[in-house]
Amino acid sequence: MSDDLYRDIILDHYRNPRNRGTLDPADYSYEDVNPLCGDEIRIDVRVKDDKIDESAFSGRGCAISQASASILMEMTDGKSLDDVKAITKEDLLEELMVPISPARLKCALLSLKVLKAGIYGVGHEDED
Ligand code: FES
């Protein structure tokens, strides 16, 4: 694929985000900020039989942070909580399919940090 197509994937998710919104009630809800810019992402999850039954994200941020959250919702739909816990930063970065500069890594990984914190329980700190 060309670089343009890779960029199109980010833009497509940014313009047409999957699972954007909130769930109320939810089994897990968590939100956090990118400390570098103050942008926020919240993720709500409903769980059934130890699998993600529904998830939604909300908040604001740059195209990379929003596209990455949208892609993460697709990646985790129907997955077991153990499978979600096993998702690595590299897994998500691979799905973004564009090289992410070190300065934008927190943008790209904010959604994963929030989702995992929600599932592990408030207080979980992702390793930086
Ligand atoms: Fe704020 Fe990317 S600039 S999340």
Side-chain angles (χ1 to χ4, degrees), residues 34 36-41 60-66 103-104 106-108 110:
N34 178 344
L36 299 180
C37 62
D39 289 340
E40 308 165 339
I41 286 187
R60 63 187 169 82
C62 62
I64 289 177
S65 72
Q66 302 299 295
R104 306 307 298 278
K106 283 196 187 302
C107 302
L110 179 60

Side-chain angles (χ1 to χ4, degrees), residues 64-97:
I64 289 177
S65 72
Q66 302 299 295
S68 139
S70 173
I71 288 169
L72 185 64
M73 298 296 96
E74 277 195 341
M75 281 173 75
T76 54
D77 192 32
K79 284 246 165 51
S80 73
L81 296 184
D82 282 345
D83 284 348
V84 173
K85 288 175 184 171
I87 293 174
T88 65
K89 297 173 181 179
E90 290 70 28
D91 293 335
L92 179 56
L93 292 175
E94 203 172 294
E95 292 293 324
L96 285 169
M97 292 202 271

